[in-house]
Amino acid sequence: MISKIRVLVGKPGLDGHDRGAKVVAAALRDAGMEVIYTGLHQTCESIVEAAVQEDVHVIGLSILSGAHMTIFPRILKLLRASKAKDIMVIGGGIIPADDMKKLQRIGVHKLFGPGTPTSEIVDWIKDNAVKPKRPTTRKKKSVRKKVKKQVRKKIKKKSKG
Amino acid sequence: MKKEEWYEKSKTCKERNTDFSTVSGVPIKVLYTPDDIADMEHDRDLGYPGEFPYVRGVYTNMYRGRLWTMRQFSGFGTPKDTNRRYKYLLGHGQTGLSVAFDFPTLYGRDSDDSFAHGEVGKCGVAIDSLRDMEVLFDGIPLDRISTSMTINPPAAMLLAMYIVVGEKQNIPAQILTGTIQNDMLKEYQAQKTWIYPPEPSMRIISDILEYCSEHVPKWNTISISGYHIREAGSTALQELAFTLKNGFTYVEHGIKAGLSVDKFAPRLSFFFNSHLDFFEEIAKYRAARRIWARMMREKYRAQDPRSYLMRFHTQTAGCTLTAQQPENNIIRTAYQALSAVLGGTQSLHTNSMDETYALPTEKAAKIALRTQQLLAYESGVAHTIDPLGGSYYIESLTNELEQGAYKYFEKIDKLGGVVRAIDKGFFQKEISRSAYSYQKALEQKTKYHVGVNIFEEDEKAEIEILKISPQVEKVQRSQLKKLKRDRNGKRVREKLLMLRKAASDGENLMPRILDCVREYATLGEMCNTLKEEFGVYHEPIIF
């Protein structure tokens, strides 16, 4: 068992539809998970970097812009390059069924369509985010908080460009 | 039977086990009677269509004179793809155009921008320069069709491109009709497409108001939009109150910029959502008209009655469409369209059934348009004005919404006004709270959504989907490259420098932007030039 599941909820690209991401973030938080929400307009690089530094179990991406076939593969590639393949990638948004199948084939763990109850997402994460994180990389809460601050700063800096 | 007796009797009747409240959570009584509108005075509070306070409609004979404009929001792929769709829709009886731009365009970025990768032409049409606008409106006479453009931070640039396309068709700007959304306040609150911080954004808006009042007098310069506030999860009351408060904020800015209120207020228009709750929506539109008229006359001292008119566009609620049993969306949309029409809308977009999957196919878009035509030509609802006026329920809801809005205005004033309240995250918090509590209501089944939490089916929907080819991005990029090769680069740089100078000198930006556009400066070049002067916005992260 792991003590607290950590999830990074990300909004990659230019898509400004953040209702779903925020609702899911709030639901995961209320379900006892530690949620890091990136805010809007993140690059894939900044999302993966934050996920690795925060040592999260799951990255959840919300994409309603139609750019899912570009963004998900990029995130998976960056995770592999960062040797962080153990971080699960899930997502939701406006994604046609065919694309969902393709994305799950290349390694996206789970995609949730519109109308999915948040409880279903919570349950899925609880059932699947069971792999304990590498104990050596686990940091004390105070340290993690500091890291989080730094990461946020970094994200902010990056999105300026 | 006496009233009291009836109420006693009704209490003894068994009620269905359901939450009798509007979709926004306002409790609904079992019956509305004259008691509920006892304080209302007909002439003061209702009046007649086309007369103060305009509750019953902004024009004297409303749809008896002219039906609402059927304006389907549309755009995808390259300008050529979208031009073809426009001609298809116009050919099927659509009466106005409404341009959907892709994300890079909405953010003032060119198709070759690193942030544009994967997004070009996906959510709308890609526009990089005047060249693209020429193709978009090729063969469409701008003197005979009005065009609405959903564009915000780069609104000035897209309007300038439209004006120049008009020039090339020999149509003077004086007679162009249409709308730019140009409502930045709701961007920070809800839709989240921004470039610059609020202050310079407001300055750009004032420049547009000033320029258009002289040179493009028939243009609707701001479409003050509640639509996105509602889509982001607000209640009907929040949509109403925040939108109107934003409207008054623009009025105050215009006045502060030295314009007389009657010079620009008649060109302000509105844009509302039509959500699930049939009656609540109708009451919302009626309340909006009365609030606007009263405040414009009493608080802002407008003299010209045209400044009192709250003219609005409506779009059915995208957030209510379901991926489950998508054909149901046709019916859902039809009810929402009906409430917009009974609420007296000036123009209407009806969503297509397939929009939870992708942008609409031709067939789905046609059904959506036909939905409006059925209402207009078959149902008889357009034969008389405000047919629900005088209904105890509707009037009581209208009054309640109006009072609720005034309370919100006070609250926002206490926070220091709209811009300060944005800085404090007030709207963002209010909206995300409402979104979350609605989601919880769905999961606890105190509110229903057919196909999602009631009458669910197991089988997956099989419907045709519009695909945007990845070729679009390649085509746009190569066109852009070619454009940059063909134009006079030196003159472009000169014009951009002058734009930069106007930005720092406080000179009206519109003439400078028009100069840049005529030289085929790209959207990204113009927006980046202003970024150097104005900086970029970062939002506080709240959930």
Side-chain angles (χ1 to χ4, degrees), chain B residues 290-304:
Chain B
R290 188 158 64 202
I291 297 169
W292 185 254
R294 284 185 167 157
M295 297 277 284
M296 288 306 286
R297 190 169 79 174
E298 282 145 31
K299 184 165 179 198
Y300 298 103
R301 306 276 165 208
Q303 309 278 318
D304 184 343

Side-chain angles (χ1 to χ4, degrees), chain B residues 370-388:
Chain B
R370 293 282 185 256
T371 304
Q372 296 197 37
Q373 292 164 335
L374 290 175
L375 283 176
Y377 295 96
E378 287 184 3
S379 73
V381 295
H383 289 344
T384 191
I385 304 167
D386 188 30
L388 291 175

Side-chain angles (χ1 to χ4, degrees), chain B residues 65-335:
Chain B
R66 197 174 149 270
L67 287 165
W68 63 91
T69 304
M70 298 178 194
R71 194 189 293 286
Q72 297 295 90
F73 183 47
S74 165
F76 61 91
T78 64
K80 210 170 164 186
D81 296 329
T82 301
N83 177 268
R84 207 174 304 129
R85 175 66 68 90
Y86 288 170
K87 287 177 175 161
Y88 174 85
L89 287 167
L90 292 169
H92 282 89
Q94 172 165 295
T95 50
L97 291 176
S98 174
V99 188
F101 298 105
D102 69 356
F103 268 115
T105 308
L106 292 174
Y107 283 94
R109 291 172 186 258
D110 289 338
S111 297
D112 59 0
D113 187 292
S114 66
F115 247 105
H117 186 45
E119 315 230 25
V120 176
K122 285 279 164 62
C123 247
V125 60
I127 299 292
D128 291 322
S129 75
L130 174 61
R131 178 78 24 99
D132 290 333
M133 282 293 261
E134 290 164 0
V135 176
L136 186 65
F137 292 102
D138 180 52
I140 297 170
L142 301 193
D143 52 344
R144 272 180 282 153
I145 199 93
S146 69
T147 302
S148 169
M149 292 189 273
T150 296
I151 191 78
N152 293 281
M157 291 79 179
L158 271 301
L159 172 60
M161 289 182 197
Y162 193 82
I163 292 172
V164 179
V165 171
E167 284 169 6
K168 298 200 169 198
Q169 290 187 6
N170 285 322
I171 296 155
Q174 292 285 338
I175 65 163
L176 289 178
T177 55
T179 306
I180 40 174
Q181 197 161 77
N182 195 27
D183 171 10
M184 279 310 299
L185 293 172
K186 67 91 177 55
E187 293 299 332
Y188 304 111
Q189 295 162 348
Q191 184 165 246
K192 316 285 173 92
T193 53
W194 52 65
I195 304 177
Y196 318 112
E199 282 303 330
S201 294
M202 293 300 282
R203 177 248 167 123
I204 300 173
I205 292 169
S206 295
D207 283 358
I208 296 172
L209 292 181
E210 189 187 4
Y211 182 85
C212 289
S213 68
E214 279 298 319
H215 303 280
V216 206
K218 290 180 163 179
W219 198 266
N220 295 316
T221 44
I222 313 179
S223 167
I224 305 152
S225 305
Y227 185 81
H228 319 88
I229 294 173
R230 193 66 180 280
E231 288 291 297
S234 83
T235 63
L237 173 61
Q238 288 167 334
E239 178 194 357
L240 172 72
F242 298 170
T243 308
L244 287 176
K245 190 67 185 166
N246 290 346
F248 298 130
T249 306
Y250 293 121
V251 168
E252 286 162 16
H253 267 256
I255 294 171
K256 224 169 80 187
L259 298 168
S260 103
V261 61
D262 287 323
K263 197 155 180 207
F264 67 90
R267 294 322 309 166
L268 300 178
S269 64
F270 288 81
F271 173 21
F272 288 108
N273 195 293
S274 189
H275 207 276
L276 292 170
D277 198 297
F278 188 73
F279 295 115
E280 186 175 47
E281 294 304 284
I282 296 169
K284 180 184 75 186
Y285 310 124
R286 300 174 85 253
R289 277 194 292 269
R290 188 158 64 202
I291 297 169
W292 185 254
R294 284 185 167 157
M295 297 277 284
M296 288 306 286
R297 190 169 79 174
E298 282 145 31
K299 184 165 179 198
Y300 298 103
R301 306 276 165 208
Q303 309 278 318
D304 184 343
R306 289 179 307 152
S307 299
Y308 309 151
L309 302 186
M310 200 222 53
R311 298 168 298 122
F312 70 105
H313 172 70
T314 307
Q315 179 169 342
T316 58
C319 62
T320 67
L321 299 178
T322 60
Q324 297 77 6
Q325 306 168 40
E327 290 89 347
N328 293 350
N329 291 328
I330 300 175
I331 299 125
R332 203 170 266 130
T333 296
Y335 293 138

